[in-house]
Amino acid sequence: MGRTPPNFLVIEADQLPPQALPMYGNSVVKAPHMQALADAGVLFDNAYCNFALCAPSRFSMLSGRLASRIGAYDNGAEFAASVPTFAHHLRLMGYQTCLSGKMHFIGPDQLHGFEERLTTDIYPSDFLWTADWSRRERLSTSEMGVVLKAGPCERSVQVDFDDEVTFHAVRKIYDIARDPTARPFFLAV
């Protein structure tokens, strides 16, 4: 009898260093569900972000290639549909591949090997954020408004989006668990 292939749940979060989590030694933060996942799964001791911005870093992780090799230099860069990802490979191996949350996929391909996307992206998929590197003038104050107005808040579009992403991901896991014909899964959240 063959071995059952493992399921993969990958949780990505921007601006969340490992030392902020209890499974990496933080004794102040309480994250019982993440701790339970870490206790039952695989915890990376050495995982590194190879780009300082989230979109190029995500593209690099998905493709296994340096961001500079696939032309991803900023959060407005297109992730070319011609670049294979590990989601493509897992699908070829029979996995159900699913995405819940933001990936900054710019351009027409909003799946990049995932067969299902549970939420839209929080950011635009068109080329609105694509940089015009020929501009030499400084950014205007209006373009920096988000930075200038930053501060504490109870609710935001980002917090609401995170709640939606989590809701859909948890529901998907329950749906898969109830399906006797379900294939092994890879769920990126």
Side-chain angles (χ1 to χ4, degrees):
M1 186 170 221
R3 230 176 90 202
T4 304
N7 292 313
F8 296 99
L9 171 63
V10 175
I11 300 171
E12 295 178 70
D14 290 343
Q15 296 89 30
L16 180 63
Q19 61 269 27
L21 296 170
M23 65 281 297
Y24 291 102
N26 189 310
S27 60
V28 176
V29 172
K30 305 298 180 214
H33 299 295
M34 289 187 72
Q35 183 66 54
L37 285 170
D39 291 344
V42 175
L43 187 65
F44 290 96
D45 290 327
N46 294 300
Y48 301 93
C49 174
N50 61 40
F51 206 89
L53 294 173
C54 59
S57 185
R58 291 168 197 270
F59 302 167
S60 180
M61 188 181 86
L62 281 171
S63 68
R65 297 177 67 193
L66 292 173
S68 60
R69 298 285 186 192
I70 56 175
Y73 297 103
D74 59 38
N75 285 342
E78 180 177 11
F79 185 26
S82 60
V83 176
T85 68
F86 67 78
H88 288 107
H89 294 290
L90 288 171
R91 280 182 75 182
L92 289 172
M93 294 173 56
Y95 274 79
Q96 177 179 357
T97 56
C98 192
L99 169 62
S100 183
K102 80 172 189 177
M103 288 302 265
H104 281 286
F105 290 156
I106 305 295
D109 187 353
Q110 292 295 299
L111 294 174
H112 290 283
F114 291 96
E115 63 190 275
E116 184 178 16
R117 188 160 190 169
L118 303 178
T119 63
T120 61
D121 208 311
I122 190 170
Y123 297 117
S125 61
D126 60 12
F127 295 93
L128 183 66
W129 283 16
T130 304
D132 179 357
W133 293 106
S134 65
R135 285 179 45 192
R136 300 231 183 256
E137 69 271 7
R138 295 178 50 144
L139 292 173
S140 70
T141 305
S142 65
E143 291 175 290
M144 295 301 294
V146 174
V147 175
L148 297 173
K149 295 177 185 174
C153 70
E154 288 186 33
R155 297 299 306 175
S156 69
V157 171
Q158 287 81 11
V159 170
D160 292 342
F161 181 75
D162 290 348
D163 289 347
E164 178 186 3
V165 166
T166 304
F167 170 80
H168 286 289
V170 170
R171 185 173 67 182
K172 184 65 176 179
I173 291 171
Y174 277 112
D175 290 346
I176 292 169
R178 285 183 273 235
D179 182 356
T181 65
R183 298 173 284 154
F185 70 85
F186 168 70
L187 174 58
V189 181

